[in-house]
Amino acid sequence: MASSWAERAIEIDKVADKKALEVDHVSHSFGRLVALDDVSLSVDQGRFLALLGVNGAGKTTLFSLITRLYDNVTGAIRVDGYDVRRQPEPALARLGVLFQSIALDRDLTVRQNLAYHAALHGLPRSLARKTAEIMIEQVGLTGKMDSRVSTLSGGQMRRADIARALLHRPRLLLLDEPTVGLDVQSRLEVNALLRELAGREGVAVVWATHLLDEVQPGDQVAILHHGRIRRSGVAADIAGEASLEDAFLKLTSSTPEPAT
Amino acid sequence: MNRRKAEKGAGSGAGFVELGWPGRLRALRGIVWREVLRFARQRERFLSALVRPLVWLFIFAAGFRSVLGLSITPPYETYVLYEVYVTPGLCAMIQLFSGMQSSLSMVYDRETGAMRSFLVSPYPRWFLLGSKLLAGVAVSIVQVVVFLFIAWLWGIDPPVMGYLTVLPALVLTGMMLGSMGLFLSSAIRQLENFAGIMNFVIFPMFFASSALYPLWRMQESSTLLYDICRLNPFTYAVELIRFALYGQVNWTALLVVFGATVLFFGAAVYAYDPSKGLIGRRR
């Protein structure tokens, strides 16, 4: 039975250094439009990655592939070590997502929304209730549990949505431009809140954005342009002497926009 | 088994998510509960859903009462008034509209945060879509029950037991119509809006069926139309409901509705599944 011991050793090794997210040579096209071209990136457990790109760079397509809205045709995507195509259930179980549009039902109360999303992940009711209370407190909406979502401000809605995305204790949080449409104050708050919560819970974060002021110098950054990763590394290194904005503009203006 | 336990126990494992059947059933309950809650909040939707069949019952049926003679056909044991004859058809009509509407929104709203977050739930797609359809069916049954109550006040009183026996029939017919709507609206782009569904699905299905007139009447005017009606799955939905409302089982209808449900549901899961189906290829 030596082989099984060896196998187990390998398996243990794998678990020890499995990444929160691994995107491995993924390409995807819609008809003739190549949306992603041989994209590879990885995020360590509990780390933060800013995925920068202008509109149409392929951020949303990449997220759609990770969340299995489309199937990745080439390459592999693993969440916490689970291949999203071959083992979608454990992979999705480890995933929390904030979409561009708020996922909450405006007609229902915060409590009802959270109960529904907890149910979508199979949480027992008592656990769901307890976790909802804790999360709502952590996002600073205590006392808003029984307010209807439509009565909340934009920033409050987003915070409730954050509580929703973290309810089932994901290992990886995907954020698809979550601060678009918020005022400056709310944007800063949401950014700080997400970083704090992710840090406390040890959740890895992939933050897709085109707003460069959301990136901190120490963040891991990947710059996506026309479906390709143009640069990746620590924000401060990419910026070099100049600002990150200059580096970003330089990288993303070198190739002309394709006709769409 | 050990591995499963280990996964559950580890804090860095699957978090709070329960992937087995207990978790799935909680998800199903949550999905149905939310749909009913949403429906209860939208009073206009409820009223408009109710007005449609009531207009047919109060006005159309009254007008046609004298025009249409009905012979005694099972499940009826005596001559029945036209209102009595159309009631099961109108129940099916409520489900037809409701099923098409909710299926259409599943396709139309698929890029919204609400639908996306529904689809990243860790359960298999077929299970999620089935739960969503079942939730739509629950809402449609609420409408049918209220409609049947008003019809009862209007003097249409099937046997009391019929109100119970009709429920399983309504679940099945609702599933059939919902999965048909889901399949059609995800497979055919032209049917992505409600006007398209109305013109090309709801009206033809409703009129070319036994909802408004018994099929032998159709046969008298056109054998081709008669054949079309007999091929229309909606006819069997209507007949299943009609017989069930009188405590009887129409086995042909049951078989056809069941078969059509399985078929359309399979096709809908395929068409809706972006990895194989038709939605992902479209953009």
Side-chain angles (χ1 to χ4, degrees):
Chain A
M1 284 291 162
S3 69
S4 83
W5 278 106
E7 270 167 30
R8 266 180 70 185
I10 290 168
E11 201 172 307
I12 288 165
D13 258 6
K14 259 201 231 156
V15 173
D17 61 21
K18 65 185 175 179
K19 308 267 188 194
L21 174 69
E22 274 181 284
V23 176
D24 203 1
H25 298 290
V26 167
S27 301
H28 192 78
S29 36
F30 298 104
R32 287 171 61 198
L33 175 74
V34 179
L36 290 176
D37 185 7
D38 198 26
V39 167
S40 294
L41 54 87
S42 70
V43 185
D44 289 331
Q45 297 287 344
R47 296 301 297 272
F48 185 99
L49 172 79
L51 183 65
L52 300 180
V54 293
N55 292 329
K59 303 187 298 276
T60 301
T61 306
L62 182 60
F63 275 18
S64 298
L65 291 175
I66 300 171
T67 55
R68 260 191 114 248
L69 187 67
Y70 314 124
D71 223 342
N72 52 318
V73 181
T74 53
I77 295 173
R78 282 180 290 277
V79 175
D80 209 26
Y82 292 94
D83 188 299
V84 295
R85 194 152 44 154
R86 269 177 284 163
Q87 295 164 291
E89 296 178 29
L92 290 177
R94 286 160 171 77
L95 197 63
V97 193
L98 280 187
F99 299 96
Q100 266 175 29
S101 66
I102 304 260
L104 304 172
D105 215 314
R106 274 151 214 269
D107 290 336
L108 305 184
T109 65
V110 173
R111 188 189 301 277
Q112 290 166 335
N113 268 293
L114 294 184
Y116 165 66
H117 283 276
L120 277 184
H121 288 87
L123 270 65
R125 242 187 282 191
S126 58
L127 178 64
R129 222 171 295 153
K130 221 180 326 161
T131 318
E133 295 281 355
I134 294 170
M135 288 315 302
I136 280 300
E137 194 192 312
Q138 292 197 347
V139 299
L141 287 179
T142 319
K144 293 283 181 189
M145 262 305 215
D146 291 304
S147 307
R148 224 174 322 146
V149 171
S150 57
T151 64
L152 302 180
S153 72
Q156 288 174 331
M157 270 190 213
R158 200 36 119 178
R159 280 190 274 158
D161 206 23
I162 292 169
R164 190 267 310 155
L166 290 171
L167 211 51
H168 59 285
R169 297 271 152 111
R171 303 303 310 145
L172 172 67
L173 188 61
L174 297 182
L175 309 165
D176 192 359
E177 309 200 359
T179 56
V180 164
L182 295 182
D183 58 56
V184 182
Q185 182 66 25
S186 305
R187 268 183 55 200
L188 289 175
E189 278 172 20
V190 166
N191 193 318
L193 176 69
L194 273 165
R195 284 171 187 269
E196 188 207 324
L197 280 180
R200 194 187 307 163
E201 309 245 326
V203 187
V205 174
V206 179
W207 181 304
T209 183
H210 60 267
L211 302 166
L212 297 169
D213 57 341
E214 290 176 341
V215 180
Q216 292 175 2
D219 289 341
Q220 285 287 324
V221 167
I223 296 179
L224 191 65
H225 189 54
H226 292 331
R228 281 193 171 170
I229 300 282
R230 304 281 155 156
R231 278 292 289 279
S232 59
V234 177
D237 294 345
I238 292 179
E241 301 285 283
S243 66
L244 183 63
E245 195 165 341
D246 289 338
F248 178 69
L249 287 175
K250 220 165 149 190
L251 281 165
T252 54
S253 59
S254 53
T255 30
E257 286 281 322
T260 39
Chain B
M1 214 46 214
N2 271 335
R3 221 180 123 183
R4 272 186 86 151
K5 254 189 200 156
E7 267 181 17
K8 250 188 175 173
S12 61
F16 287 158
V17 179
E18 158 108 47
L19 285 175
W21 276 101
R24 288 185 189 186
L25 292 180
R26 281 183 212 120
L28 169 65
R29 195 174 57 197
I31 291 165
V32 173
W33 170 78
R34 168 183 182 261
E35 208 71 22
V36 173
L37 212 58
R38 265 167 61 97
F39 183 72
R41 285 221 58 89
Q42 302 171 329
R43 230 163 274 155
E44 307 84 36
R45 193 179 142 202
F46 182 58
L47 282 177
S48 68
L50 210 56
V51 161
R52 207 176 298 119
L54 287 177
V55 164
W56 281 87
L57 184 68
F58 292 157
I59 303 175
F60 183 84
F64 269 70
R65 191 181 201 165
S66 49
V67 184
L68 277 165
L70 297 174
S71 68
I72 301 174
T73 47
Y76 307 111
E77 284 155 5
T78 56
Y79 284 105
V80 291
L81 285 176
Y82 186 60
E83 289 98 298
V84 175
Y85 180 83
V86 290
T87 297
L90 295 179
C91 294
M93 184 181 86
I94 294 173
Q95 289 199 300
L96 180 63
F97 269 92
S98 163
M100 293 295 149
Q101 243 161 354
S102 54
S103 296
L104 200 64
S105 76
M106 283 168 74
V107 174
Y108 195 75
D109 298 337
R110 65 179 175 264
E111 303 287 343
T112 62
M115 199 63 204
R116 294 284 306 271
S117 68
F118 168 73
L119 289 173
V120 294
S121 160
Y123 303 109
R125 278 285 155 80
W126 66 264
F127 180 80
L128 290 175
L129 293 181
S131 304
K132 193 87 178 168
L133 287 176
L134 218 52
V137 171
V139 167
S140 81
I141 288 181
V142 173
Q143 298 171 34
V144 169
V145 166
V146 174
F147 169 75
L148 280 175
F149 174 69
I150 297 174
W152 176 77
L153 296 177
W154 192 245
I156 295 153
D157 48 351
V160 181
M161 277 308 285
Y163 289 104
L164 276 182
T165 49
V166 79
L167 291 177
L170 290 171
V171 171
L172 198 58
T173 52
M175 281 304 276
M176 180 186 90
L177 296 169
S179 40
M180 203 172 76
L182 182 56
F183 166 65
L184 289 173
S185 43
S186 17
I188 306 169
R189 192 171 228 178
Q190 283 73 19
L191 294 183
E192 257 183 40
N193 61 65
F194 199 67
I197 286 274
M198 248 336 217
N199 285 329
F200 296 106
V201 183
I202 293 184
F203 283 147
M205 287 239 297
F206 182 57
F207 289 119
S209 80
S210 59
L212 296 178
Y213 12 75
L215 288 191
W216 61 263
R217 285 223 148 235
M218 216 39 152
Q219 197 172 16
E220 279 177 358
S221 47
S222 154
T223 47
L224 174 68
L225 262 179
Y226 174 68
D227 289 337
I228 290 175
C229 292
R230 289 208 317 163
L231 288 174
N232 181 358
F234 188 69
T235 295
Y236 299 93
V238 172
E239 291 311 307
L240 189 66
I241 294 171
R242 189 190 307 287
F243 277 74
L245 195 54
Y246 290 85
Q248 297 176 34
V249 181
N250 182 329
W251 290 102
T252 319
L254 179 62
L255 218 67
V256 172
V257 171
F258 185 78
T261 305
V262 171
L263 198 76
F264 284 127
F265 184 63
V269 171
Y270 180 83
Y272 198 88
D273 187 344
S275 60
K276 327 182 180 65
L278 308 148
I279 287 177
R281 307 238 162 98
R282 256 195 215 162
R283 262 208 358 211

